[in-house]
């Protein structure tokens, strides 16, 4: 380990964290590929996060790894996961202005959610309280922080449309509260300030939305189960849909269902889901992604744009495709 990494590691330990050296990324991402991260650290509060930022080492945020393609060479610097206080849920209630409360007594309010909380846990809690608003994330694996960064969504909508505010920590260690006007939410992408780490998210929730969403959520989950290969490791849709068409239809029409490179395969069930059928490497997945993209371009003249985020050290010229 370099002196720089050893020094950073010591600082993180002094701040109460337990950095893991050479953490194998294949253990953390949905695709189960990727080499070692120099350091991986679970961060429990804003003070600890500020200590990570102060090291000045490159930071890669790891939500739940459900949209990450980590390279076989691994990631230099620090990979950060949000835990502890970043997994809390409270409310801003018009009936109790100025403070956060555990339950919402009004019909409409803001759920204040730690960015490390899993979407599924948020939906479960809101449902128990008779609250809705985040039905668009039903069946989307991952954390709230990852959902904001990706502007995650489904045919039920996108998270960007539900946001009241997003709190971030900037590379200078300062925090900022962003309003929806400060963020450019596009299809599967949100433009945040460079290097911003999402720490907390405010989402509009209401009792009316709960009643409205319930049936649609069930229908949507059934649709997903019937159309997506949810029992095999993937990162969901590999490519974004091009305007006016879908990546799944195009890859399917190019005859690529079942096409395999090493341990990586284009799913027989849904052609935009690329699955790890055993011992795929990140390079296998890269080759498969490139092949699908090149074939669709050649056959139909459409350029597909990856939805998944490639992280870590890749051979020069690999990305963008
Ligand atoms: P990660 O994959 O860990 O990270 C994604 C990006 O966000 C990375 O660039 C990462 O660095 C960044 N990031 C993560 N946390 C933070 C943070 N706190 N601050 C700043 N940046 C951060 N997506 C959809 O939109 N709709 C779907 O229907 C859908 N279905 C899926 C189904 C399956 C089976 C799978 C495996 C994936 C699916 N996805 C879907 C993709 C994925 O779940 C979403 O993009 C999800 O929002 C990613 O969240 P994550 O926490 O796993 O983020
Ligand atoms: N199709 C094919 N062959 C296939 C797969 C799909 O012809 O192998 C056709 C279907 O018949 C359908 C069309 O393509 O007519 C669209 O397919 P589907 O309804 O499965 O939706 P999608 O556009 O592929 C999108 C999101 C998913 C989200 C679902 C459901 C994108 C890139 N994908 O998929 O999000 O879960 O709608 O809401 O926008 C993700 O982003 O990771 C993701 C999984």
């Amino acid at each position: 380990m370099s002196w720089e990494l050893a020094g950073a590691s010591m600082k993180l330990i002094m701040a109460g964290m337990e950095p893991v050296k050479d953490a194998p990324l294949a253990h953390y991402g949905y695709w189960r590929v990727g080499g070692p991260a120099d350091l991986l650290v679970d961060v429990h509060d804003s003070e600890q996060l500020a200590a990570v930022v102060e090291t000045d080492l490159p930071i890669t945020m790891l939500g739940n790894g459900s949209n990450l393609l980590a390279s076989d060479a691994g990631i230099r610097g620090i990979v950060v996961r949000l835990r502890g206080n970043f997994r809390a849920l409270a409310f801003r209630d018009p009936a109790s202005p100025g403070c956060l409360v555990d339950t919402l007594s009004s019909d409409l309010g803001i759920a204040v959610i730690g960015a490390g909380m899993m979407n599924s846990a948020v939906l479960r809690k809101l449902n128990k309280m008779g609250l809705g608003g985040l039905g668009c994330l039903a069946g989307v694996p991952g954390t709230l922080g990852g959902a904001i960064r990706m502007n995650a969504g489904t045919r039920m909508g996108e998270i960007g449309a539900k946001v009241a505010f997003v709190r971030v920590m900037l590379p200078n260690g300062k925090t900022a509260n962003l309003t929806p006007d400060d963020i450019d939410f596009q299809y599967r992408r949100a433009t945040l300030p460079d290097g911003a780490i999402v720490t907390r998210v405010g989402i509009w929730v209401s009792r009316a939305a709960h009643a409205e969403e319930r049936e649609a959520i069930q229908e949507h989950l059934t649709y997903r189960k019937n159309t997506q290969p949810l029992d095999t490791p993937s990162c969901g849709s590999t490519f974004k849909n091009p305007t006016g068409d879908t990546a799944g239809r195009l890859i399917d029409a190019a005859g690529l269902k079942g096409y395999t490179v090493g341990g990586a395969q284009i799913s027989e069930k849904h052609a935009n889901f690329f699955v790890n059928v055993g011992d795929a490497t990140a390079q296998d997945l890269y080759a498969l992604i490139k092949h699908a993209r090149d074939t669709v371009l050649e056959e139909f003249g459409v350029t597909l744009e990856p939805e998944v985020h490639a992280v870590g050290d890749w051979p020069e010229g690999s990305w963008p495709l």
Side-chain angles (χ1 to χ4, degrees):
M1 193 193 265
S2 71
W3 283 109
E4 203 188 7
L5 276 175
S9 186
M10 190 51 72
K11 280 183 192 156
L12 301 182
I13 292 168
M14 302 289 278
M17 288 168 271
E18 296 176 1
V20 179
K21 202 169 59 130
D22 294 329
L25 290 162
H27 288 190
Y28 299 92
Y30 266 59
W31 254 329
R32 300 189 190 155
V33 299
D38 284 346
L39 292 176
L40 180 136
V41 70
D42 286 349
V43 172
H44 293 82
D45 56 38
S46 297
E47 287 71 35
Q48 289 191 344
L49 189 57
V52 174
V53 170
E54 267 171 30
T55 64
D56 273 339
L57 287 175
I59 292 174
T60 303
M61 290 306 296
L62 174 61
N64 203 31
S66 63
N67 222 346
L68 282 184
L69 178 54
S71 71
D72 295 321
I75 300 183
R76 309 289 70 84
I78 310 182
V79 172
V80 174
R81 294 194 301 179
L82 300 178
R83 294 289 186 270
N85 291 355
F86 296 112
R87 288 190 145 178
L89 171 69
F91 296 94
R92 273 193 202 155
D93 191 331
S96 327
C99 59
L100 287 179
V101 290
D102 286 343
T103 51
L104 191 69
S105 58
S106 309
D107 288 340
L108 173 75
I110 296 172
V112 178
I113 309 164
M117 205 165 166
M118 303 289 286
N119 304 334
S120 54
V122 175
L123 285 166
R124 238 185 349 262
K125 282 201 170 188
L126 292 178
N127 184 44
K128 262 193 185 162
M129 294 174 171
L131 293 168
L134 266 188
C136 61
L137 290 190
V140 180
T143 59
L144 260 286
I148 290 292
R149 176 70 182 78
M150 300 303 305
N151 189 19
T154 58
R155 58 178 57 184
M156 289 185 65
E158 294 173 342
I159 191 172
K162 311 292 173 180
V163 163
F165 70 87
V166 173
R167 179 175 288 183
V168 293
M169 183 173 283
L170 300 167
N172 61 10
K174 296 205 164 113
T175 54
N177 269 329
L178 308 176
T179 68
D181 287 345
D182 299 323
I183 305 171
D184 183 13
F185 284 108
Q186 295 168 16
Y187 167 55
R188 296 293 191 272
R189 177 173 197 274
T191 305
L192 299 165
D194 275 353
I197 296 170
V198 178
T199 56
R200 208 184 236 201
V201 184
I203 298 288
W204 288 106
V205 293
S206 70
R207 296 191 194 286
H210 183 251
E212 283 160 22
E213 279 174 0
R214 278 180 64 177
E215 206 173 310
I217 287 179
Q218 284 319 314
E219 266 173 34
H220 185 63
L221 290 177
T222 305
Y223 179 78
R224 295 177 72 107
K225 208 168 151 221
N226 290 337
T227 56
Q228 301 180 351
L230 301 179
D231 52 358
T232 321
S234 78
C235 269
S237 296
T238 309
F239 294 99
K240 298 181 190 185
N241 285 334
T243 311
D245 209 334
T246 68
R249 193 200 70 76
L250 288 162
I251 299 167
D252 188 354
L256 290 175
K257 273 188 169 173
Y259 187 90
T260 303
V261 178
Q265 187 175 70
I266 296 180
S267 165
E268 295 278 4
K269 191 166 182 182
H270 194 303
N272 199 20
F273 279 60
F274 291 15
V275 288
N276 182 346
V277 286
D279 52 0
T281 61
Q283 195 54 40
D284 292 342
L285 282 157
Y286 175 80
L288 196 63
I289 289 170
K290 193 156 167 32
H291 181 73
R293 186 189 188 259
D294 291 349
T295 308
V296 166
L297 180 58
E298 207 175 290
E299 298 254 330
F300 306 111
V302 178
T303 303
L304 295 178
E305 189 192 337
E307 176 182 313
V308 294
H309 285 192
V311 290
D313 290 345
W314 288 89
E316 213 177 310
S318 302
W319 304 99
L321 285 177

